[in-house]
Amino acid sequence: MASQTEQFYQQDSSTVLKAMQSTETGLTDQQVSERLNQYGPNKLVAKRRTTLIEKFLAQFKDLMIIILLIAAVIAGIAGERADAIIILTVVILNAIFGVFQEAKAENAIDSLKQMAAPMATVIRDGHETRVNSAEIVPGDIVLLEAGDIIPADIRFLSANALKVEEAALTGESVPVNKQVAPIETADLPLGDRKDLGFMNSNVTAGRGSGVVIGTGMQTEVGKIATMLDAASETTTPLQENLKQLGKVLTVLILIIAVVVFGIGMLRGQESVLDMLLTSISLAVAAIPEGLPAIVTVTLAIGTQQMARHKALIRKLPAVETLGSTDIIASDKTGTLTQNKMTVEAVFVNQEFHGDVTKDYETTKPLTAVMLLNNDTKFDNGQLLGDPTETALVQYYLDQNLEVEQYLKDRPRLAEIPFDSERKLMTTFNQLPDHRILVTFKGAPDQLLKRVTQIDVDGQVRPITDADRELILATNHDLASEALRVLAMAYKITDQVPAETDLTSEKQERDMIFVGLIGMIDPERPEVYQAVKEAKSAGIAPIMITGDHSDTAGAIAARLGILDTQRGNEQILTGAELDEQSDDQFEQNVAKYTVYARVAPEHKVRIVNAWQKKGKVVAMTGDGVNDAPALKAADIGIGMGITGTEVSKEASDMVLADDNFATIVTAVKAGRKVFANIQKALQYLLSANLGEVLTLFVMTLMGWQILAPVQILWINLVTDTFPAIALGVEPAEPGIMDRKPRGRKSNFLSGGVMSNILYQGLLEGAITLGVYAFAISFPVHHSPELAHADALTMAYATLGLLQLFHAFNSKTIHQSIFKVGLFKNKFFNWALLSSAILLVLTIAVPGFNQLFHVTELTAFQWLIVVFGGILMVLVVEIVKLVQRKVFHLE
C-alpha cells in the first residue's frame, strides 16, 4: 500500500478504487474486519517509552554528575557528611528536573494523536454510517463536508466546491481547492496533489468523498510521526562543553591526587592514612562542586527573564544554545507572516492603488462584487470562511462600512459555486430596486475571456484591446510580487434564471469588468527589524516554507532575508533539493537563503546540512510539518498562538506572542547566560587551581596543609555563593555586536583558559606568600602557635582572595570599574554573606577546634586583606595589557 500511494494522485479515481479493491458503495463488514487485522487500527504509534525509573537512572550517566558523586564519596570518607549530603542533594535535584523535561518532550507523538478525528462518516455495504476514525481501513469510502477533519489519507472521488486547509502539513496559508481529475506531473510536493486529502487536515468549505489510500503510520502524518520517533536528541553546546570539561577535570584530579600521594610517601614524613586524606583534600579542592548548581540556577534565571519577554523555555539548555546560534531557519506562514490574507493592492477605474490603507472612494460595483460574491460568515464579531474571502470583507470593515447590513439589503438568491477547473464563482443578489445583480469573481485570465464591457468611473463601455493589455500587465506585475490576484466583474438582469439554466455556459458571459484585487499573507511588521538585528549579530536568517517559490522569494526580499542583487539563485525548491546528494547539498547549503515547496524531510535535511558544517541551528515553525525539523535542530522554536500542539511539544522554546523579534531578544539573553556561566567557571576553576597549588606546594615543602574541612568550607561557602551571583550579572554593553560563538567554541575559549591559569597561580602565590610571611614574622614565639597562625592566615587569605577575585570575574577582559562594582545587588549580598561566614569560623569562639584555626590579631587580618587587594590590582593590570596588546574585549 505504501509504495502505491505515491502514484495515486496521477491515476483516475476508478483506477484507484480498483487498486484499493473497493467500490463507491464501500466495503463489506467482512472486508473491514480482514483489513483491520492486516493494516491495524488507524492510529499513530510510537516506540516504547522509557519508564520514569529508567529516565531517572539515565541522568547519572553524565560525566560531571559522576564526578560529583565521587566528590560526595570523598567528602564522606573525609568525615564531612554534611558536605556529602549537600552534593548528593544537588545531584538528585538535577536528575529530577531532567526527568521532568524529558517526559514533557515525549508528548509530540501524543499531540499528533489528539489531532486525529474521533469520528468519521463512511459508506459501508451501500449505507452511510458513523464510525470511530481508528476503525477506518484502506478502501473505505469517506464522506466529508465543511468542518470535518479528514480521518486518513484519501483520493477524492467527488469534490463540490471543496476546500481543505492544509497549512499545518504543507505550509500553504490558503485553503486548497480540491479536484477529482488526476494530475499527470510526477514527484509533486504534497501541496500540489490537489486530488488527495491528508489525515488531520480540515475541510473549510464544500463537500466531497474519497477512498482511503493510507491509514495510521502509512499516512503523511504517520511519516512525520515516524521521523519524530527516529530523531535522536541533539546535544546542545552547553552539554558538550560541560561533558568536555568533566573529562579534563577527571584526568587532572586523578593525576594531582596520585602525584601528591606519591610525593608524600617518598618523603616519608606522613603515614599512608595521612597522605590519603591529603590526596582526598586535593581532589576535593579540584572539583567545582557548585558548578552544576550554578549552571542550573543561571539557566533558570535566564528562563524567567525570557518569559517576561514572551519566550517560554521548555528545556533549560536551550537558553544557552540560543546565544551560540549561527542560523535561524524560519517557517514562513504564521511565523514571518501573519497567516491571514490581506488586501494590498486595488486596480479600479483602470488605475492602480498600491496604498490601500488610505480611505479613497471605490466604485460601488467593485464593493458589491467583493462583498456579495463571498461566503464569509459573521460569528460574534469574528469572520469565518476562506482567508481570501474574509480578507475582502475585512478590507471594508477597516473602512467602517456596515458590511452585515449591506449584505442583508442585498440577499443572495442563487449561485454557481467555484470550482478549480473554470476558476470562477458567480452569485445572484437582489438589489434594493429589485433588479438582480450578477457578480463574478475568479482568475483574471479566465474571467477576461468572458468580459465584453468595462466600468470606468461609473461609465460602462465596450472593453478595448488596450484595456485588456493594461489589465493583463497589471495582473502580471502583481503576481510577480507574489500577490494572489482576483478579477471582479458584474452585470445586471431582471430575474434569476431557472435552476436548469444555472450553468457556466449560459450565465458566465457578457461580463462588465470592474477591477483587480491583489492580496498577500503579509509579513509581520516587526520582523524586518528583527532580521536586521540578527544579521548585525552575525546570525544568518533563512526561510523554509511549503509555499510557492515566487511567494516565498517576495516575502523574503521584503524582510531582508533575500539579497535582491543575487535574486533567485538564493532560492531552492524541494524538487531541486531532491536532485542533490547529501554531500552536494552540504557543499552548496550556504548559497541558499530561501527554500520553497519543501516537505518535512527536506527541512530536516537543511537543518542537518548546516549542522554538519559545524553551525548551531535554530528552527522556528508552527505546523505539524515543522515538528521533525524542530526536533532535529539544536533549538526548536514553536509558535505559542498559531502553533499546533505537535510543533510546541517538539520545541525547546515557545514564543508566547508568535513574534519573530522575540527570538532576537532571546538570543541576547542566551549570550548573556553563556557569558555569565563563563565568568562563574573562570572564577571557580581559578579559585580551585589556587587551592590545589597551595596544597601541592605545602606538601612539597613539608609544611602543614589546610585541613579537608577548611577546603570544603571555602569551596561551598566562599566559592559557590559568589559564583551563583556572577550568573545573574547584567549583560555587558555590545554583547549583540559580537559574532556567534558557534559549535566549536567552549567555556574555556576567548582567553578564559589563560585567565584561569594565571589567576589560579596568582591566588596560590599570594596565599603561600602570606603563609611564608607569617612563618618568617610570627606574632607568637612558640613554633607550634606560629605554624597554627600561619595556617589560619593562609586559610583566611585563600577565602578572602576568592571574594576579592569575584569582582575581577564580573568581566573577562574589561575593567571592573567600567562594568560597575556594585550594580548587581545579589552579588553584593552574596559576597557579604560569604565574608561573614568565613570570618565567623575564625573570630567566634567555639569554632577554633572544629575548623583547626586560631584567633588572629588586627595586624594579621591587615596582611590577609592586603593579599585580597593585591589580587584585584594585579588582575586589573593584566586586563589592561590584554586589551592594549592583544586587543581582547
Side-chain angles (χ1 to χ4, degrees):
M1 179 180 70
S3 59
Q4 287 181 303
T5 56
E6 292 293 327
Q7 288 78 41
F8 279 155
Y9 71 90
Q10 296 176 278
Q11 301 171 3
D12 60 47
S13 55
S14 59
T15 303
V16 176
L17 276 171
K18 187 175 180 181
M20 298 310 299
Q21 299 178 359
S22 183
T23 66
E24 292 190 4
T25 58
L27 303 174
T28 65
D29 290 340
Q30 183 179 348
Q31 286 177 311
V32 171
S33 179
E34 290 172 353
R35 296 187 187 192
L36 203 55
N37 289 330
Q38 180 181 356
Y39 298 111
N42 181 32
K43 292 181 178 180
L44 300 179
V45 296
K47 62 185 177 184
R48 176 188 172 273
R49 301 290 176 84
T50 55
T51 64
L52 283 176
I53 294 176
E54 288 172 330
K55 288 186 178 75
F56 183 76
L57 293 176
Q59 305 302 316
F60 295 92
K61 295 178 181 178
D62 184 78
L63 187 58
M64 202 66 200
I65 297 299
I66 293 172
I67 292 174
L68 278 174
L69 290 173
I70 293 170
V73 172
I74 291 172
I77 293 172
E80 300 301 323
R81 294 175 184 172
D83 194 63
I85 291 171
I86 291 171
I87 295 172
L88 285 173
T89 301
V90 170
V91 170
I92 292 170
L93 286 175
N94 276 337
I96 292 171
F97 189 83
V99 169
F100 177 72
Q101 292 295 329
E102 189 177 331
K104 285 184 68 178
E106 284 188 342
N107 291 334
I109 300 296
D110 295 334
S111 296
L112 277 170
K113 293 177 183 177
Q114 291 169 9
M115 289 179 64
M119 300 293 291
T121 303
V122 297
I123 297 178
R124 288 180 179 170
D125 283 328
H127 302 288
E128 286 188 24
T129 182
R130 293 282 288 174
V131 299
N132 190 301
S133 63
E135 299 172 6
I136 287 177
V137 296
D140 257 327
I141 306 300
V142 177
L143 301 180
L144 298 166
E145 59 184 28
D148 285 346
I149 298 174
I150 299 180
D153 284 3
I154 64 174
R155 168 65 166 86
F156 287 112
L157 303 176
S158 65
N160 185 5
L162 185 65
K163 293 184 179 183
V164 179
E165 192 268 311
E166 300 173 341
L169 186 65
T170 66
E172 282 273 18
S173 56
V174 178
V176 179
N177 294 295
K178 292 298 182 178
Q179 64 185 57
V180 176
I183 304 169
E184 295 181 2
T185 310
D187 299 322
L188 283 177
L190 296 183
D192 291 333
R193 300 180 186 183
K194 296 184 178 180
D195 54 353
L196 298 185
F198 304 108
M199 185 181 190
N200 294 351
S201 50
N202 303 308
V203 178
T204 60
R207 59 185 180 276
S209 64
V211 58
V212 174
I213 58 175
T215 59
M217 299 303 284
Q218 298 301 320
T219 62
E220 293 299 329
V221 171
K223 292 177 184 177
I224 291 176
T226 302
M227 292 168 68
L228 283 172
D229 251 353
S232 57
E233 290 292 333
T234 54
T235 305
T236 69
L238 174 66
Q239 292 166 327
E240 291 175 359
N241 284 333
L242 290 177
K243 187 177 180 180
Q244 180 185 5
L245 178 62
K247 289 179 179 178
V248 173
L249 287 177
T250 302
V251 174
L252 289 177
I253 290 166
L254 290 174
I255 291 173
I256 290 168
V258 170
V259 168
V260 168
F261 181 82
I263 291 173
M265 295 308 297
L266 286 174
R267 290 179 62 86
Q269 294 180 346
E270 304 284 350
S271 66
V272 174
L273 181 60
D274 287 340
M275 283 315 303
L276 182 61
L277 287 173
T278 299
S279 300
I280 289 172
S281 299
L282 271 170
V284 170
I287 296 172
E289 296 96 332
L291 182 58
I294 290 159
V295 170
T296 301
V297 169
T298 304
L299 292 174
I301 291 171
T303 64
Q304 292 174 359
Q305 292 173 342
M306 289 185 183
R308 287 196 289 269
H309 293 286
K310 306 297 183 181
L312 310 178
I313 301 297
R314 297 184 66 249
K315 300 175 184 177
L316 269 188
V319 181
E320 184 275 332
T321 308
L322 271 168
S324 59
T325 299
D326 297 286
I327 307 293
I328 297 178
S330 177
D331 178 44
K332 177 185 73 69
T333 306
T335 307
L336 298 172
T337 64
Q338 299 176 29
N339 197 21
K340 63 176 182 180
M341 296 300 288
T342 303
V343 174
E344 186 159 293
V346 176
F347 177 77
V348 64
N349 297 328
Q350 294 300 78
E351 294 179 352
F352 176 75
H353 300 271
D355 183 8
V356 297
T357 59
K358 70 177 184 180
D359 186 16
Y360 66 87
E361 284 292 327
T362 56
T363 63
K364 291 180 180 179
L366 180 64
T367 304
V369 179
M370 290 173 69
L371 294 177
L372 300 177
N373 198 298
N374 197 311
D375 290 329
T376 297
K377 305 296 182 186
F378 291 82
D379 182 22
N380 294 324
Q382 298 293 317
L383 300 181
L384 304 179
D386 183 283
T388 301
E389 295 191 330
T390 58
L392 299 178
V393 173
Q394 188 63 50
Y395 173 73
Y396 283 103
L397 289 175
D398 291 342
Q399 297 195 45
N400 299 316
L401 180 68
E402 294 291 338
V403 175
E404 289 187 83
Q405 187 60 48
Y406 185 94
L407 295 175
K408 287 179 182 177
D409 293 342
R410 298 161 181 80
R412 183 183 299 184
L413 304 178
E415 65 182 53
I416 304 176
F418 177 91
D419 70 51
S420 58
E421 293 181 10
R422 74 184 209 287
K423 298 180 180 178
L424 291 173
M425 175 178 173
T426 300
T427 66
F428 297 80
N429 293 75
Q430 184 175 301
L431 294 173
D433 62 4
H434 301 295
R435 291 185 301 166
I436 305 301
L437 175 66
V438 188
T439 66
F440 308 95
K441 177 185 71 184
D445 56 338
Q446 295 296 320
L447 187 138
L448 275 177
K449 294 176 183 178
R450 297 165 168 81
V451 165
T452 56
Q453 301 179 83
I454 186 170
D455 187 315
V456 180
D457 290 323
Q459 301 296 315
V460 177
R461 59 172 174 79
I463 192 167
T464 65
D465 290 339
D467 292 328
R468 292 180 185 276
E469 289 177 9
L470 178 59
I471 294 167
L472 290 172
T474 303
N475 176 51
H476 178 269
D477 291 343
L478 294 175
S480 65
E481 294 179 13
L483 269 67
R484 179 185 175 95
V485 186
L486 290 177
M488 309 284 177
Y490 74 99
K491 64 182 178 182
I492 295 177
T493 63
D494 293 327
Q495 60 184 14
V496 178
E499 188 171 345
T500 54
D501 292 332
L502 282 174
T503 63
S504 176
E505 294 76 15
K506 292 183 178 180
Q507 304 300 328
E508 293 178 336
R509 60 181 184 176
D510 300 326
M511 302 177 183
I512 303 170
F513 179 83
V514 68
L516 300 175
I517 300 295
M519 289 174 289
I520 198 168
D521 177 11
E523 68 275 17
R524 291 177 175 273
E526 69 280 351
V527 171
Y528 177 82
Q529 184 61 32
V531 168
K532 187 176 180 180
E533 289 181 33
K535 285 186 171 182
S536 70
I539 302 168
I542 62 175
M543 177 192 289
I544 305 178
T545 179
D547 217 333
H548 292 280
S549 58
D550 289 344
T551 305
I555 293 293
R558 289 161 65 154
L559 291 174
I561 294 175
L562 192 73
D563 185 349
T564 53
Q565 294 182 344
R566 288 177 56 201
N568 290 341
E569 67 183 53
Q570 301 165 85
I571 303 176
L572 188 73
T573 65
E576 292 168 337
L577 176 54
D578 285 333
E579 296 172 2
Q580 298 188 29
S581 66
D582 286 342
D583 290 337
Q584 288 175 321
F585 181 54
E586 188 180 337
Q587 292 176 356
N588 297 330
V589 68
K591 297 179 182 177
Y592 311 115
T593 55
V594 176
Y595 298 86
R597 237 43 192 149
V598 293
E601 56 269 23
H602 293 139
K603 297 183 180 186
V604 175
R605 279 190 70 188
I606 295 163
V607 169
N608 290 341
W610 277 114
Q611 287 174 330
K612 287 178 182 177
K613 294 181 79 71
K615 302 297 184 181
V616 178
V617 182
M619 169 77 194
T620 74
D622 63 347
V624 175
N625 59 322
D626 297 317
L630 289 170
K631 196 169 183 181
D634 295 286
I635 175 164
I637 305 172
M639 299 293 120
I641 299 173
T642 60
T644 60
E645 285 304 310
V646 182
S647 64
K648 293 176 192 176
E649 294 294 345
S651 301
D652 303 292
M653 181 178 91
V654 175
L655 302 182
D657 57 358
D658 284 14
N659 190 337
F660 183 87
T662 302
I663 298 172
V664 177
T665 303
V667 166
K668 182 177 180 180
R671 290 189 174 188
K672 185 188 78 169
V673 164
F674 179 87
N676 287 349
I677 293 175
Q678 205 172 32
K679 294 170 188 176
L681 189 64
Q682 174 181 290
Y683 171 73
L684 277 176
L685 293 187
S686 59
N688 287 14
L689 178 59
E691 294 170 18
V692 169
L693 181 66
T694 300
L695 290 171
F696 187 69
V697 172
M698 282 179 166
T699 304
L700 286 178
M701 298 296 291
W703 296 347
Q704 284 183 296
I705 64 170
L706 297 173
V709 67
Q710 294 173 333
I711 297 168
L712 289 169
W713 189 255
I714 289 172
N715 277 7
L716 292 174
V717 176
T718 61
D719 271 14
T720 307
F721 291 168
I724 291 175
L726 287 169
V728 295
E729 279 288 299
E732 292 182 39
I735 198 167
M736 286 300 285
D737 295 331
R738 304 170 188 171
K739 291 183 179 180
R741 300 187 316 276
R743 191 175 296 280
K744 294 181 180 179
S745 72
N746 57 58
F747 288 121
L748 303 180
S749 59
V752 173
M753 187 63 197
S754 60
N755 285 356
I756 289 171
L757 291 174
Y758 91 79
Q759 289 167 8
L761 290 171
L762 180 61
E763 279 193 33
I766 293 174
T767 304
L768 292 167
V770 169
Y771 183 91
F773 179 85
I775 292 292
S776 302
F777 304 96
V779 174
H780 301 95
H781 296 292
S782 166
E784 290 183 4
L785 286 175
H787 279 285
D789 282 353
L791 200 62
T792 301
M793 288 177 68
Y795 162 65
T797 301
L798 193 57
L800 283 181
L801 266 179
Q802 293 181 13
L803 299 183
F804 277 96
H805 182 45
F807 284 103
N808 292 329
S809 302
K810 287 171 75 74
T811 173
I812 303 297
H813 299 296
Q814 291 294 325
S815 170
I816 58 172
F817 300 105
K818 182 177 180 180
V819 298
L821 286 173
F822 304 107
K823 283 186 177 179
N824 183 348
K825 292 182 180 179
F826 182 66
F827 178 87
N828 301 336
W829 283 109
L831 256 63
L832 181 60
S833 302
S834 296
I836 291 171
L837 288 171
L838 178 68
V839 172
L840 283 177
T841 61
I842 301 172
V844 177
F847 283 105
N848 301 61
Q849 289 185 339
L850 181 62
F851 284 92
H852 312 290
V853 294
T854 59
E855 293 184 13
L856 299 179
T857 65
F859 174 74
Q860 289 172 321
W861 275 114
L862 188 63
I863 298 298
V864 170
V865 173
F866 174 75
I869 295 172
L870 184 62
M871 182 76 191
V872 174
L873 291 175
V874 173
V875 172
E876 276 294 300
I877 293 170
V878 174
K879 284 183 180 180
L880 179 63
V881 173
Q882 288 175 333
R883 294 194 299 273
K884 298 297 183 183
V885 178
F886 302 106
H887 306 290
L888 295 175
E889 295 295 336

